């Protein structure tokens, strides 16, 4: 009898939890985006180059990179423009003056875990990409594109940077400019530049709900995503364990445990643009 009496409140609690979860999932969805298992697979890309600003930025596209390698057997390369020396440590794991070296090591381990084939870590100033001549950055990205010969370049949307960070927007602009120039220019040594660029985006409802002023800025400056793909909770959590000096940055930024956030922010969202028609 006691069990029957307890069933009513338990059921009500269950329904309540399910309703809250469904509402949270809806906030972190972009229903108009085409659902695919793999961005590289859906496009038929054979070589992917990701261009980002900081150690740990690659976790924002961990699903894309990991799936490209494991499922589609695609060549993957990662460029990170800074060594993250200005980052806050959460938790404190090293002398602040050693942070660039520590974060460089974390980034190399993260790249290895994602089975990245080639990795470049540059030494532009963290939180100072805005002060670097855009042409200097573009030239560096152009050289990386020529080296790795991707057909797909992955980067930040230049108007929002997925988080509103100025470095994200700057490297997104540099990657876009470089990719476009090579795609529109003449082929050199049989390589005619990338065919697609994929900009990683945030779910607008979700980032507006948890991201404060920066989240509102991001949501207002993002385009509609064209594609969504699974982000993989275990890959992201493993990535944050590897980035030990940044392990609790999700909790610090959004006041939500990373594991809980990823239960509702499950997908990665992209705007994919074709830079040239190769047919
Ligand atoms: Zn970053």
């Amino acid at each position: 009898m006691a069990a029957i009496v307890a069933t009513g409140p338990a059921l009500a609690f269950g329904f309540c939890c399910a309703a809250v979860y469904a509402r949270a999932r809806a906030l972190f969805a972009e229903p108009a985006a085409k659902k695919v298992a793999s961005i590289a697979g859906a496009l038929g890309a054979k070589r992917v180059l990701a261009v980002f600003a900081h150690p740990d930025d690659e976790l924002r596209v961990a699903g894309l990179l990991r799936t490209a390698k494991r499922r589609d057997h695609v060549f993957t390369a990662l460029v990170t423009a800074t060594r993250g020396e200005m980052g806050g440590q959460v938790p404190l794991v090293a002398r602040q003056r050693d942070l660039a070296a520590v974060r460089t090591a974390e980034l190399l381990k993260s790249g290895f875990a994602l089975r990245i084939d080639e990795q470049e870590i540059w030494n532009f100033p963290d939180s100072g990409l805005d002060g670097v001549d855009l042409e200097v950055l573009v030239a560096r990205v152009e050289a990386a594109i020529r080296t790795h010969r991707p057909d797909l370049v992955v980067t930040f949307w230049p108007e929002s940077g997925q988080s509103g960070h100025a470095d994200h927007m700057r490297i997104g602009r540099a990657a876009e400019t470089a990719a476009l120039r090579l795609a529109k220019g003449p082929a050199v040594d049989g390589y005619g530049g990338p065919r697609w660029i994929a900009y990683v985006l945030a779910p607008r409802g979700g980032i507006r709900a948890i991201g404060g002023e920066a989240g509102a800025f991001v949501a207002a400056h993002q385009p509609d995503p064209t594609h969504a793909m699974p982000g993989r909770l275990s890959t992201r959590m493993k990535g944050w364990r590897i980035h030990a000096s940044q392990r609790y940055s999700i909790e610090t930024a959004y006041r939500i445990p990373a594991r809980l956030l990823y239960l509702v922010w499950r997908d990665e969202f992209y705007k994919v643009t074709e830079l040239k028609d190769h047919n």
Side-chain angles (χ1 to χ4, degrees):
M1 186 63 188
I4 294 170
V5 170
T7 302
L11 262 180
F13 180 70
F15 279 127
C16 189
C17 287
V20 168
Y21 179 67
R23 187 163 154 63
R25 282 281 294 126
L27 261 183
F28 286 87
E30 289 279 1
K34 182 181 177 186
K35 280 253 189 191
V36 296
S38 162
I39 299 293
L43 296 174
K46 299 285 179 255
R47 298 178 71 85
V48 176
L49 171 65
V51 181
F52 287 111
H54 309 121
D56 78 32
D57 285 349
E58 78 285 356
L59 298 184
R60 298 169 182 271
V61 299
L64 184 153
L65 291 173
R66 184 186 183 281
T67 311
K69 174 54 60 190
R70 292 266 177 96
R71 175 185 179 274
D72 306 314
H73 312 294
V74 162
F75 168 89
T76 56
L78 170 64
V79 160
T80 306
T82 80
R83 301 199 295 158
E85 68 274 11
M86 297 302 287
Q89 300 184 52
V90 275
L92 190 64
V93 299
R95 297 175 199 93
Q96 192 67 21
R97 67 172 182 269
D98 294 334
L99 189 59
V102 168
R103 294 196 71 188
T104 298
E106 290 169 352
L107 177 56
L108 290 170
K109 289 167 68 180
S110 178
F112 178 75
L114 290 168
R115 303 293 183 261
I116 301 287
D117 292 293
E118 296 289 343
Q119 208 171 343
E120 296 186 25
I121 303 172
W122 299 342
N123 198 14
F124 287 106
D126 183 13
S127 290
L129 283 187
D130 242 1
V132 177
D133 186 330
L134 184 62
E135 278 305 318
V136 170
L137 266 184
V138 170
R140 239 1 237 285
V141 178
E142 274 190 45
I145 293 175
R146 284 206 181 89
T147 298
H148 302 297
R149 302 165 77 96
D151 42 18
L152 171 63
V153 169
V154 184
T155 191
F156 287 116
W157 179 249
E159 304 297 328
S160 66
Q162 210 203 22
S163 72
H165 197 303
D167 283 355
H168 293 184
M169 294 190 268
R170 190 69 162 182
I171 198 68
R173 179 69 67 206
E176 177 183 71
T177 306
L180 265 169
R181 271 185 202 168
L182 292 177
K184 303 292 183 197
V188 177
D189 295 333
Y191 175 64
R195 180 170 174 184
W196 304 276
I197 188 165
Y199 304 94
V200 64
L201 303 174
R204 286 168 290 191
I207 202 70
R208 200 179 274 121
I210 65 170
E213 223 171 275
F217 171 85
V218 168
H221 290 82
Q222 277 194 176
D224 294 332
T226 56
H227 293 74
M229 68 163 287
R232 287 190 64 91
L233 173 68
S234 59
T235 305
R236 290 159 158 176
M237 294 308 296
K238 182 179 178 182
W240 286 119
R241 285 195 298 278
I242 290 170
H243 284 284
S245 70
Q246 309 298 308
R247 183 164 180 173
Y248 299 116
S249 51
I250 294 283
E251 286 81 348
T252 306
Y254 301 123
R255 297 176 299 283
I256 301 170
R259 187 172 288 276
L260 197 60
L261 178 62
Y262 291 147
L263 281 178
V264 291
W265 184 344
R266 297 170 74 105
D267 290 337
E268 293 173 6
F269 301 97
Y270 296 93
K271 175 181 173 61
V272 178
T273 299
E274 185 150 18
L275 301 172
K276 63 196 296 178
D277 185 359
H278 281 217
N279 294 321

